[in-house]
Amino acid sequence: MRTEDHLVGTSIPRFTYDTPSSPGNDFYRLCAGDKPLAMIFLPAFDHPITRTYISRYLKTLDDLKGVKLACVVRSGPRQVAQALEGRQLPFDLICDQPGVLYNFMGVETAGLLNWSFEAQRILRSAQAKGMRYDHKAPQLLPLTLVLGEEGAILFTHYGRNLTDMPGDCGAIYTLCDEVCELTRKAQQAPQKAKAGPHSDETLTLPDLAGSLEEEEDALSKLFD
């Protein structure tokens, strides 16, 4: 798996997010505790690949064994709530219709070369069942994160095709277990320097987008 090692050791800023049933949730509260958080970025909730993978996670949820799971979808909370028809998911579904988190984390879109055989099978099956989606629109590639407390990034994997992500909760658990073991070994090694304290400021998703733009402006001035 191709990892973006330069992000490991950094943190996602604190922000609030909406789920289909609850607005204004604290992201750092989601990350709190000694259990790692697996965060999977998917397309819109009504996309066949999103539906397929969320179904797989639901069916294998017992395999998480102490790992927390959150899925990010490119849909609004009201839209997802209507699709769920009052049902509650046993893990957080972060609704990011504007794509703020996707842009912040640099999630890319796919071309035809990124359509894996598995993706083609899922999409053809969805078409046969009458599910509609905009196949002409750019298709979002998945992103898999493993996070610690206060949004600390322990692992990242940017999918190389539409289905390049953990296939079920067993795979998620194995990934998180390996990442946590590597993290423990790294913490036992001599530390050169400690990171500065985290900000107590809590951002909303739109605020997070503004914060990112400010950082980009500051970086661009360095090269003026």
Side-chain angles (χ1 to χ4, degrees), residues 26-165:
D26 184 355
F27 176 64
Y28 276 12
R29 179 173 293 182
L30 178 63
C31 298
D34 57 359
K35 297 178 182 178
L37 171 67
M39 197 170 176
I40 314 293
F41 285 69
L42 296 162
F45 185 74
D46 60 356
H47 195 286
I49 288 179
T50 299
R51 293 293 184 92
T52 297
Y53 276 81
I54 286 181
S55 295
R56 291 177 181 177
Y57 297 154
L58 288 171
K59 291 177 181 177
T60 59
L61 201 62
D62 290 343
D63 294 333
L64 279 180
K65 301 175 183 178
V67 173
K68 293 179 291 186
L69 172 64
C71 291
V72 188
V73 294
R74 192 75 187 268
S75 302
R78 182 176 299 178
Q79 174 191 357
V80 178
Q82 290 175 346
L84 289 174
E85 298 179 338
R87 291 168 293 181
Q88 299 289 328
L89 294 179
F91 50 82
D92 271 18
L93 201 62
I94 298 175
C95 297
D96 181 21
Q97 187 172 27
V100 174
L101 279 175
Y102 292 83
N103 292 334
F104 187 85
M105 293 304 303
V107 174
E108 298 180 348
T109 55
L112 290 176
L113 293 177
N114 302 106
W115 286 50
S116 64
F117 289 115
E118 174 69 1
Q120 293 181 48
R121 186 191 66 78
I122 292 171
L123 296 174
R124 287 172 182 167
S125 176
Q127 284 183 323
K129 295 176 181 176
M131 291 181 64
R132 296 182 178 180
Y133 70 98
D134 187 358
H135 64 277
K136 294 183 180 180
Q139 304 294 312
L140 287 167
L141 290 169
L143 166 62
T144 301
L145 301 177
V146 178
L147 304 174
E149 290 193 279
E150 297 185 328
I153 299 176
L154 307 178
F155 173 88
T156 65
H157 177 68
Y158 288 83
R160 292 162 292 187
N161 59 60
L162 296 179
T163 56
D164 187 8
M165 57 184 147

Side-chain angles (χ1 to χ4, degrees), residues 175-191:
L175 170 63
C176 290
D177 186 54
E178 293 176 355
V179 169
C180 288
E181 180 61 27
L182 290 173
T183 301
R184 281 191 290 269
K185 291 180 179 178
Q187 290 173 343
Q188 292 172 357
Q191 300 294 316

